Amino acid sequence: METIKDRITAVYQQISQATKQASRRTDDITLVAVTKTWPVDTLLDAYDAGLRDFGENRTDELEEKRAAFETVRGRESGVTWHFIGHLQSRKATAVADSADVFHAVERVKIVNKLQDRLAQNGRLLPVFIEVNVSGESSKSGIDCSRWEQDATQQSALRKVTRAVLVAPNLSLLGLMTMAPWHAPDEEIRTVFARARALAEWLRDDLRLERPLQLSMGMTDDFEMAITEGATHIRVGRALFGERHNN
Ligand SMILES: *Cc1c(COP(=O)(O)O)cnc(C)c1O
């Protein structure tokens, strides 16, 4: 039977090939192991096999697993907890208290709710703003399906980005996007390339000092995402197998 260790090795080999192809460095890629639906024992195995970034998409799971994990490995385990799911504003407190990175900012209201709580708990939260570049209606994120020629879409993104920039306890890491489901490779690649171009446009537009990072790529498409500029890939099934209860 394939162990988690074997699967991690295989994923790292794929990452290494893709970075080589793109003349990038493997150090520039953060592998976020998406542990949603898996029990804390799976996270402990993944930790022992060397993984240090975990991604959850439900606040109750994040809180429970983080607490259970830290009971075993302590609070200084070196794990970074990523919240990668859609966030309803009434759950913002949980993310402000328990996530180390949030990948799916899409509204000013969420930014404000997070900031209110972070001002209380004294934590800092780096975030990605989620953009919907593919235009698929099932996808969350700010509509950027025609951002190249649509000034309204540009200003919607600018508005949320400015809210993040002025929030004292939030910092802007970059943009997050999802590829369309079951699309041909070329279409997926184009979505990633357009997200990258959007990040470059936004940086120029707001005169940001540093380049924006890109959270994009999952089990079926992370190699393409890397060749198109991803800095954070969010991988579940390739590491842990199929999820049964989600
Ligand atoms: C579940 C999930 C992933 C991981 O998907 P896999 O196909 O298992 O790699 C990545 N990103 C988000 C936002 C998810 O919800």
Side-chain angles (χ1 to χ4, degrees):
M1 216 186 79
E2 241 188 351
T3 63
I4 287 186
K5 222 180 164 100
D6 297 333
R7 288 179 161 152
I8 294 173
T9 305
V11 167
Y12 272 118
Q13 269 164 7
Q14 286 174 276
I15 293 173
S16 161
Q17 268 174 11
T19 48
K20 209 173 285 169
Q21 203 181 320
S23 306
R24 301 184 59 200
R25 292 150 22 105
T26 42
D27 287 358
D28 295 338
I29 313 294
T30 300
L31 170 62
V32 179
V34 178
T35 45
K36 63 187 183 192
T37 77
W38 293 101
V40 73
D41 282 345
T42 305
L43 281 69
L44 291 166
D45 287 346
Y47 182 85
D48 291 339
L51 296 183
R52 292 293 180 273
D53 291 87
F54 296 139
E56 293 285 343
N57 73 338
R58 292 179 45 152
T59 51
D60 51 349
E61 261 189 274
L62 170 69
E63 291 175 307
E64 282 164 29
K65 285 189 209 167
R66 180 170 187 161
F69 184 92
E70 289 180 349
T71 302
V72 181
R73 284 286 180 277
R75 298 195 63 180
E76 307 297 322
S77 61
V79 170
T80 299
W81 297 85
H82 299 253
F83 191 75
I84 61 172
H86 176 72
L87 180 61
Q88 293 161 310
S89 53
R90 64 192 166 82
K91 303 273 183 74
T93 302
V95 166
D97 288 347
S98 298
D100 300 315
V101 181
F102 176 42
H103 288 242
V105 168
E106 54 175 336
R107 287 183 295 148
V108 172
K109 185 178 173 190
I110 292 283
V111 172
N112 294 337
K113 289 252 178 189
L114 288 170
Q115 174 54 39
D116 287 348
R117 180 62 184 178
L118 293 163
Q120 291 171 356
N121 69 18
R123 300 180 79 237
L124 299 175
L125 185 66
V127 300
F128 290 91
I129 294 172
E130 183 175 359
V131 291
N132 178 348
V133 174
S134 74
E136 248 186 355
S137 58
S138 61
K139 296 270 186 288
S140 44
I142 299 169
D143 184 4
C144 291
S145 53
R146 292 175 289 111
W147 73 265
E148 293 89 341
Q149 60 268 3
D150 189 326
T152 309
Q153 292 190 354
Q154 293 175 1
S155 74
L157 174 60
R158 195 184 283 124
K159 193 170 133 206
V160 176
T161 308
R162 284 215 175 100
V164 170
L165 292 172
V166 301
N169 296 60
L170 291 169
S171 63
L172 178 65
L173 284 179
L175 301 182
M176 181 274 229
T177 203
M178 311 258 279
W181 303 118
H182 310 299
D185 280 3
E186 270 326 295
E187 203 177 315
I188 292 173
R189 192 178 284 286
T190 301
V191 164
F192 291 151
R194 290 181 59 222
R196 178 198 189 147
L198 178 56
E200 285 163 4
W201 172 84
L202 187 62
R203 180 191 179 187
D204 286 348
D205 185 74
L206 294 177
R207 304 191 195 324
L208 304 176
E209 261 172 51
R210 275 177 291 164
L212 293 172
Q213 303 189 57
L214 288 164
S215 169
M216 59 189 194
M218 314 186 356
T219 288
D220 294 327
D221 51 36
F222 70 83
E223 291 157 286
M224 268 191 282
I226 289 171
T227 55
E228 297 304 329
T231 57
H232 292 64
I233 56 173
R234 309 177 310 268
V235 179
R237 289 169 301 133
L239 295 168
F240 305 114
E242 291 297 325
R243 290 177 290 271
H244 300 294
N245 50 345
N246 191 21

